[in-house]
Amino acid sequence: MFLVFDPSSFVNHMDELLPYPFLAIVGQAEMKTALTLTLVNPQIGGVLLVGPYGVGKTTAVRALADLMPLIAREEPGDDGQPVTRQAPMRIIELPLNARLEDVVGGINERVALEQQRILLEEGVLAKAHRNLLYIDEINLLDARVVDAILDAAAQGRTFVRRGPMTRLYPAQFALVGSMNPEEGTLRPQILDRFGLRVWVAPLAERRQRLEIYRRTREFRQSPEEFRARFAGELGQLKHEIATARELLPHVQVPPDVEDYALGCIQALKIPSHRAEIALLEGARARAAADNRDVTTRADVATIAPLALRQRRSLQIESYAAQMAAEDAAIEQALRQVGGEAAAPRRRRPPKPRA
């Protein structure tokens, strides 16, 4: 008896469930801001939610199902020909036990066993195209799987090769990961690939914690009635996200705002150039969400903690200082041995022939 993997099992059909209302989440303004801006502008580079268990990370991500904007999606029509229809983005959840073949794509094992032929099949990354890919406990995922996901997120495509057979699939998606730092950290290379980082801290106020309990109990007793209380606000927020996505291509970043953002990055001695991409794209998304076509310094200041958190590297700073010291020593040695380095003599141009 063979156990055959079914890639469709990785798709989280959120329409079959009733998610907790996004706006019913108590507190956590930073997390809500980061997630909604990612829906507005996936070019931010995704969001990493870091916090202990039980603070609402997964609940918040799944709650985005009510806010998903409409996108153009090709589907087979009645005559078998592709038809373009408007459909909401979906949330694709990746389980912790996902294999590299499941994520990237590979041979359809059922067809190979039953029909004795080779058929390359798309993986989770291809199914996540133009959707939101959510990875819970990303710090526990196999390193090769994480690398493949981040490479696809950066390149917008995934390449499958099995022997002489190759397939290229588009894979442009909004990426959201979550983790509990008690179970280990992420490699710096992986951490750098996330545009925004959110520390989802436990709420400290007693009234807020009690309100979480009360709302959770109400939702469990009657999900439909509880969701109806927030339906109007959710509808308004969904409309605002859709409007911001339409406005985003027209949002400009003035030179003085660019200088302000780069000055902050350089003051923090952040080595990765992804810092300015996340910071300025996040600022553009915030301006669009505020129905503006020009970003301001206030947009940069709001996004800076999210985009620049955990991007400094003491190891890189130490290494750069060591290289500068070695270069200075080499220059000093050159001066001691041979004096000031003579400027290279120019070759005289050849005289024109008579």
Side-chain angles (χ1 to χ4, degrees):
M1 178 179 180
F2 296 93
L3 296 178
V4 181
F5 165 71
D6 182 8
S8 63
S9 62
F10 282 81
V11 179
N12 185 20
H13 299 283
M14 299 302 297
D15 55 345
E16 297 177 1
L17 304 173
L18 289 177
Y20 190 86
F22 187 77
L23 295 179
I25 297 173
V26 179
Q28 307 297 356
E30 217 180 49
M31 176 174 65
K32 295 175 186 175
T33 297
L35 291 175
T36 52
L37 291 184
T38 294
L39 292 184
V40 172
N41 184 8
Q43 296 303 316
I44 290 174
V47 178
L48 178 64
L49 306 177
V50 183
Y53 293 122
V55 293
K57 302 186 297 293
T58 301
T59 298
V61 176
R62 291 175 176 171
L64 292 176
D66 289 323
L67 305 175
M68 288 299 188
L70 295 176
I71 59 172
R73 195 188 303 277
E74 280 196 356
E75 299 177 354
D78 297 334
D79 56 356
Q81 298 298 319
V83 178
T84 301
R85 296 189 176 96
Q86 293 290 320
M89 288 176 59
R90 295 180 295 169
I91 299 176
I92 310 297
E93 289 195 37
L94 185 71
L96 189 60
N97 61 351
R99 304 172 302 171
L100 182 62
E101 293 77 10
D102 305 333
V103 174
V104 176
I107 298 174
N108 186 312
E109 299 175 359
R110 181 176 287 107
V111 172
L113 290 172
E114 296 178 356
Q115 303 180 20
Q116 302 299 309
R117 65 186 182 93
I118 302 299
L119 176 66
L120 281 187
E121 189 172 62
E122 64 182 16
V124 177
L125 292 176
K127 295 181 183 298
H129 180 54
R130 305 202 68 193
N131 292 307
L132 185 148
L133 179 62
Y134 175 48
I135 309 172
D136 190 15
E137 297 184 337
I138 186 172
N139 53 326
L140 303 181
L141 203 60
D142 183 88
R144 297 181 306 157
V145 173
V146 176
D147 289 339
I149 293 171
L150 296 178
D151 286 342
Q155 299 177 17
R157 59 184 183 177
T158 180
F159 184 74
V160 183
R161 180 190 295 274
R162 293 296 181 270
M165 302 180 65
T166 61
R167 291 284 298 273
L168 186 66
Y169 298 104
Q172 299 173 358
F173 48 83
L175 179 63
V176 178
S178 62
M179 57 173 279
N180 180 357
E182 295 175 301
E183 295 187 333
T185 59
L186 286 172
R187 289 180 291 147
Q189 177 191 9
I190 298 174
L191 190 62
D192 182 57
R193 302 292 282 271
F194 283 94
L196 306 180
R197 293 90 179 272
V198 179
W199 167 239
V200 189
L203 299 180
E205 294 186 11
R206 296 177 61 183
R207 288 180 297 177
Q208 287 185 317
R209 295 181 71 104
L210 183 58
E211 184 63 21
I212 291 174
Y213 162 69
R214 289 171 176 171
R215 292 188 180 187
T216 302
R217 186 181 63 183
E218 291 178 28
F219 177 71
R220 289 176 177 173
Q221 289 177 344
S222 181
E224 295 83 359
E225 292 183 10
F226 185 79
R227 284 172 51 82
R229 288 171 45 189
F230 298 89
E233 295 176 85
L234 286 173
Q236 179 63 30
L237 180 56
K238 181 176 181 178
H239 174 73
E240 292 174 357
I241 291 173
T243 302
R245 285 171 62 94
E246 294 178 0
L247 178 60
L248 182 67
H250 308 288
V251 176
Q252 303 297 320
V253 183
D256 68 299
V257 176
E258 291 178 333
D259 291 340
Y260 179 65
L262 268 294
C264 181
I265 292 171
Q266 291 180 326
L268 292 170
K269 298 180 180 180
I270 295 175
S272 174
H273 295 301
R274 291 192 179 97
E276 48 262 37
I277 296 174
L279 180 54
L280 292 173
E281 288 299 317
R284 290 181 65 240
R286 185 177 186 271
D290 201 28
N291 202 29
R292 291 181 282 111
D293 60 1
V294 177
T295 59
T296 65
R297 290 190 173 196
D299 296 322
V300 173
T302 299
I303 301 300
L306 296 168
L308 306 184
R309 183 179 288 138
Q310 292 181 293
R311 289 194 183 271
R312 289 186 296 171
S313 172
L314 297 179
Q315 291 85 351
I316 293 295
E317 290 183 27
S318 175
Y319 190 84
Q322 180 183 353
M323 292 300 100
E326 290 185 1
D327 289 347
I330 292 171
E331 292 178 4
Q332 182 179 4
L334 291 173
R335 287 194 298 268
Q336 290 176 347
V337 174
E340 294 292 336
R345 298 179 60 184
R346 293 185 179 180
R347 291 185 57 189
R348 294 181 179 178
K351 295 182 179 180
R353 295 181 181 178

